[in-house]
Amino acid sequence: MKTLTLLFILAALFPTKGLARAVLSYDMKTLMCRSSLVLVGKVKSVQPSGIKEKIVYPTKDYLVFEWLKVEIEVIEPVKGAQKGDVIRTLMLSMPEGVMANVPGMIHPKPGQHHLLFLIPTQFKNVYAAATAPDDEDEAIFILNRTNTMKYGSFGDGNSPEEYGERYKAIWSLVDEMGQITPKGAEELRKNYQAEIATKPPKDAIIHLQWKKETSVSGWQWNAPIEGSEKKKPTGTGKSAPVKSK
């Protein structure tokens, strides 16, 4: 299974300070294999969770992010979910102020449709993006053909193949009117049958709190604090049980 590691140079490189940020991006097959849940979903609600964490970024020692509590209704199941389930997820919200080298974030709003690749958190039946917390938009993709900033334009004779299998899948899941196409979801399930049948790693989990690690040359990164989650999301309510297909 090939993993695509993309190093985006977002600031000048200084060996002693490490002012660049690596973005880890997976191809579709790897995302399918690694994820516990894969689905086309509609955002039902977005609320603060009360869970905050400090994350190191190149331009500052720490930035404090708050996880948002986002409920997602399953419109088209792909892996590990059933149509009509309500999946509880946690997504980061942007801290106040201006920052460089920003992480890829979702900015969910009620009514939006997304293709989501999710991994469990340490809370029962609560999930997060498979690439959280650094780049959630590498595992959760808004289904919006007009979002040319992210996907480019597939119109005017441009072929989806030019943008790779990820964007081809996104393009096939939604029509020009913004409606989800069941045929696109069926094609996705057909094309990735082997990956959908693959069980994710048993130890796959998204940690909610992190600590700073520093190399001898000054590079900094985030390492999870094991078992540090002491505060549960507030007012999570109930969700439909998640059933394996």
Side-chain angles (χ1 to χ4, degrees):
M1 189 62 62
K2 184 178 180 181
T3 299
L4 301 180
T5 304
L6 306 180
L7 180 61
F8 295 160
I9 306 303
L10 301 176
L13 292 178
F14 294 95
T16 58
K17 295 188 177 181
L19 295 180
R21 189 171 69 84
V23 178
L24 183 64
S25 179
Y26 300 114
D27 57 42
M28 285 288 285
K29 288 184 177 180
T30 305
L31 274 174
M32 285 284 185
C33 289
R34 289 177 57 88
S35 300
S36 297
L37 301 181
V38 182
L39 57 109
V40 174
K42 180 179 180 180
V43 178
K44 288 179 60 69
S45 64
V46 181
Q47 300 178 35
S49 71
I51 303 174
K52 297 182 179 181
E53 72 167 337
K54 292 180 178 180
I55 301 179
V56 177
Y57 279 100
T59 53
K60 294 184 179 181
D61 283 341
Y62 282 113
L63 289 168
V64 178
F65 292 78
E66 180 172 3
W67 291 94
L68 295 174
K69 179 184 60 179
V70 184
E71 290 192 330
I72 304 290
E73 180 184 357
V74 179
I75 305 300
E76 289 289 344
V78 179
K79 180 179 181 179
Q82 299 290 336
K83 187 171 184 176
D85 285 351
V86 175
I87 309 299
R88 293 178 291 173
T89 69
L90 292 173
M91 302 181 189
L92 288 181
S93 60
M94 183 65 74
E96 295 182 0
V98 179
M99 62 177 287
N101 294 352
V102 295
M105 302 177 77
I106 308 303
H107 310 296
K109 295 179 176 59
Q112 289 179 337
H113 289 94
H114 295 81
L115 172 63
L116 302 98
F117 295 82
L118 304 175
I119 288 178
T121 68
Q122 290 190 3
F123 298 132
K124 184 178 180 180
N125 290 334
V126 179
Y127 297 82
T131 51
D134 289 324
D135 290 285
E136 294 171 305
D137 64 351
E138 291 293 326
I140 298 179
F141 310 103
I142 190 167
L143 297 179
N144 181 353
R145 285 194 179 194
T146 66
N147 195 327
T148 56
M149 289 293 291
K150 291 188 67 65
Y151 307 135
S153 174
F154 293 118
D156 301 325
N158 289 333
S159 169
E161 284 78 7
E162 297 175 14
Y163 299 87
E165 58 179 345
R166 177 188 298 180
Y167 296 156
K168 180 181 178 181
I170 292 167
W171 192 247
S172 69
L173 287 169
V174 62
D175 63 22
E176 293 181 358
M177 301 302 294
Q179 299 299 310
I180 300 302
T181 58
K183 185 177 180 180
E186 291 175 8
E187 183 178 350
L188 196 65
R189 290 189 287 263
K190 179 180 178 181
N191 291 341
Y192 297 97
Q193 290 183 60
E195 291 76 22
I196 291 170
T198 301
K199 293 184 179 180
K202 292 182 178 180
D203 58 350
I205 193 169
I206 299 299
H207 294 270
L208 304 179
Q209 292 184 314
W210 300 73
K211 61 184 177 181
K212 178 174 66 176
E213 298 284 355
T214 306
S215 70
V216 292
S217 59
W219 287 92
Q220 297 178 349
W221 65 93
N222 301 294
I225 300 174
E226 301 288 344
S228 60
E229 292 81 355
K230 297 180 180 179
K231 186 176 181 181
K232 294 184 178 180
T234 57
T236 52
K238 296 181 179 180
S239 64
V242 178
K243 301 175 183 178
S244 299
K245 295 189 71 177

